[in-house]
Amino acid sequence: MQVEYRRLPFRVRPLPDEPFDSWFEVMAHAYGVTVGEMGIALGLVGEDKQFRTTKWLAAQWATDLTTSQAQRLEATTGLPAAEFHAMTRARFWRGGMRKARTGGISAASPAAGLGGRFCPDCLQDSGGRWRMSWGIPMGFACLRHSRLLADVCPICKLPPRRAGHPLTLVPVPGACHNRAPGATGYKQRCRAGLATNDRRLEASAPVRGAQRIIFRILSSGRAAFGIYADLPQPSIHVLEDLRLLARLARHAARDRPTVMMSELDDAVVIEFLSRASLNDSERSRPEGAVNIAVGATLAVHALGDRERLIQALRGRLATSTSYVAHTPQMQE
């Protein structure tokens, strides 16, 4: 039976660089309804078993939308279906996404993951709306406010968007939706204002430059700088080069900070050395923005010059390291 979807009385326009889940929560807040009720109103949740409600539902919509889901969104809001597709991670960061054997997005993709980092100043400016560029593992700096992203909620001390918003609650834009510390009930949420997080670390010009290059690699689908200038490479492989080199750079920087981190501000160096354990330095995907910023900045600078790259790699690669996912330049 063909279901006819009703146009909603009003809609909120998506902001540039806003992910689907942020827009969706703002819509639910504007109508004063729960995430589940908003899903029904937008045609994303119905009697069809294909669209069952689970706690990961909103996260699935934010990652990718089917053609029929985008068409229902167009019918209920009047906004073009293509605009909704562009707000998903699979489309926005398509240069860094890999398919899993099941057909979905592989969790091992360089750009996969919901991400919980954020810029308090941006949240203040936008009324609590999030940005797509915060949601990738190598997103560490806000280029608009020249600061490193915040990692955790100032109250519950957890990443605020590690999981999707509860389906039975009304969202509050710009507020943490984790469970409240010590909560005994499902409805007790943290709700701390994330725009008030005043813990600030400046992002220097080299750090911002590294972030711009990473965004350019993802948005263009390739890299053509430094060692890739003569033979540009697909972003999916370049990001693997970056991940490997960033891990090695963090490890080396702990041993020789005065030599390795000359491009970084003193405050960032001090913060890195105070919080980065040896184990964290060796991780492929560290949690903290400062650790990611240090590794990514040093990695981008090394990739800009072949001799510097060789110096960064010499004596630091295990014999068991696999290079299958890397570029020919890195393999060579």
Side-chain angles (χ1 to χ4, degrees), residues 89 93 96-98 105-115 135-137 285:
R89 293 174 178 87
W93 297 124
M97 290 295 182
R98 226 188 242 117
I105 303 298
S106 170
S109 298
L114 295 180
I136 57 171
R285 293 187 178 186

Side-chain angles (χ1 to χ4, degrees), residues 59-332:
Q60 291 171 2
W61 299 332
T63 300
D64 203 6
L65 290 167
T66 65
T67 300
S68 61
Q69 286 173 330
Q71 289 172 345
R72 290 169 183 161
L73 286 164
E74 181 174 315
T76 53
T77 66
L79 297 173
E83 191 165 352
F84 291 109
H85 280 304
M87 294 163 67
T88 63
R89 293 174 178 87
R91 294 291 181 91
F92 196 91
W93 297 124
R94 57 187 174 274
M97 290 295 182
R98 226 188 242 117
K99 290 285 187 180
R101 291 180 181 178
T102 57
I105 303 298
S106 170
S109 298
L114 295 180
R117 291 181 289 276
F118 59 97
C119 172
D121 296 331
C122 283
L123 290 176
Q124 182 72 42
D125 294 345
S126 66
R129 300 173 76 168
W130 290 65
R131 298 176 69 84
M132 184 73 78
S133 50
W134 301 343
I136 57 171
M138 280 195 176
F140 51 83
C142 175
L143 302 179
R144 180 178 299 176
H145 295 103
S146 300
R147 64 176 294 169
L148 294 189
L149 301 180
D151 300 310
V152 297
C153 165
I155 300 301
C156 70
K157 308 300 182 185
L158 296 171
R161 295 180 81 81
R162 182 64 59 82
H165 193 284
L167 296 179
T168 57
L169 299 179
V170 179
V172 179
C176 175
H177 61 234
N178 291 331
R179 280 204 182 209
T184 57
Y186 177 77
K187 293 187 177 181
Q188 294 175 283
R189 314 312 287 188
C190 177
R191 296 305 188 204
L194 301 173
T196 60
N197 189 328
D198 59 0
R199 174 78 170 116
R200 180 185 180 97
L201 277 176
E202 296 291 332
S204 62
V207 172
R208 297 196 306 274
Q211 185 70 95
R212 285 192 186 93
I213 287 174
I214 290 171
F215 286 161
R216 194 178 304 132
I217 291 169
L218 280 163
S219 61
S220 68
R222 66 174 200 151
F225 73 98
I227 66 169
Y228 311 113
D230 294 335
L231 184 63
Q233 294 296 311
S235 57
I236 194 77
H237 299 305
V238 175
L239 290 170
E240 293 294 350
D241 290 357
L242 271 170
R243 255 200 319 195
L244 170 65
L245 194 54
R247 176 172 60 81
L248 298 175
R250 284 192 302 271
H251 194 181
R254 282 186 53 81
D255 298 330
R256 296 186 298 152
T258 56
V259 176
M260 291 295 298
M261 298 199 283
S262 57
E263 295 94 349
L264 302 167
D265 289 347
D266 289 344
V268 171
V269 173
I270 292 169
E271 183 75 12
F272 170 75
L273 294 175
S274 69
R275 71 157 68 181
S277 67
L278 182 61
N279 181 54
D280 189 58
S281 295
E282 293 178 338
R283 292 178 63 186
S284 175
R285 293 187 178 186
E287 295 289 331
V290 67
N291 297 326
I292 302 166
V294 167
T297 302
L298 297 176
V300 166
H301 278 76
L303 289 171
D305 179 77
R306 187 174 185 276
E307 290 306 315
R308 182 168 179 169
L309 175 58
I310 291 172
Q311 290 297 323
L313 294 173
R314 181 171 288 134
R316 296 193 175 95
L317 293 172
T319 55
S320 59
T321 303
S322 172
Y323 306 104
V324 174
H326 296 280
T327 63
Q329 290 91 330
M330 182 65 83
Q331 293 179 27
E332 184 265 336

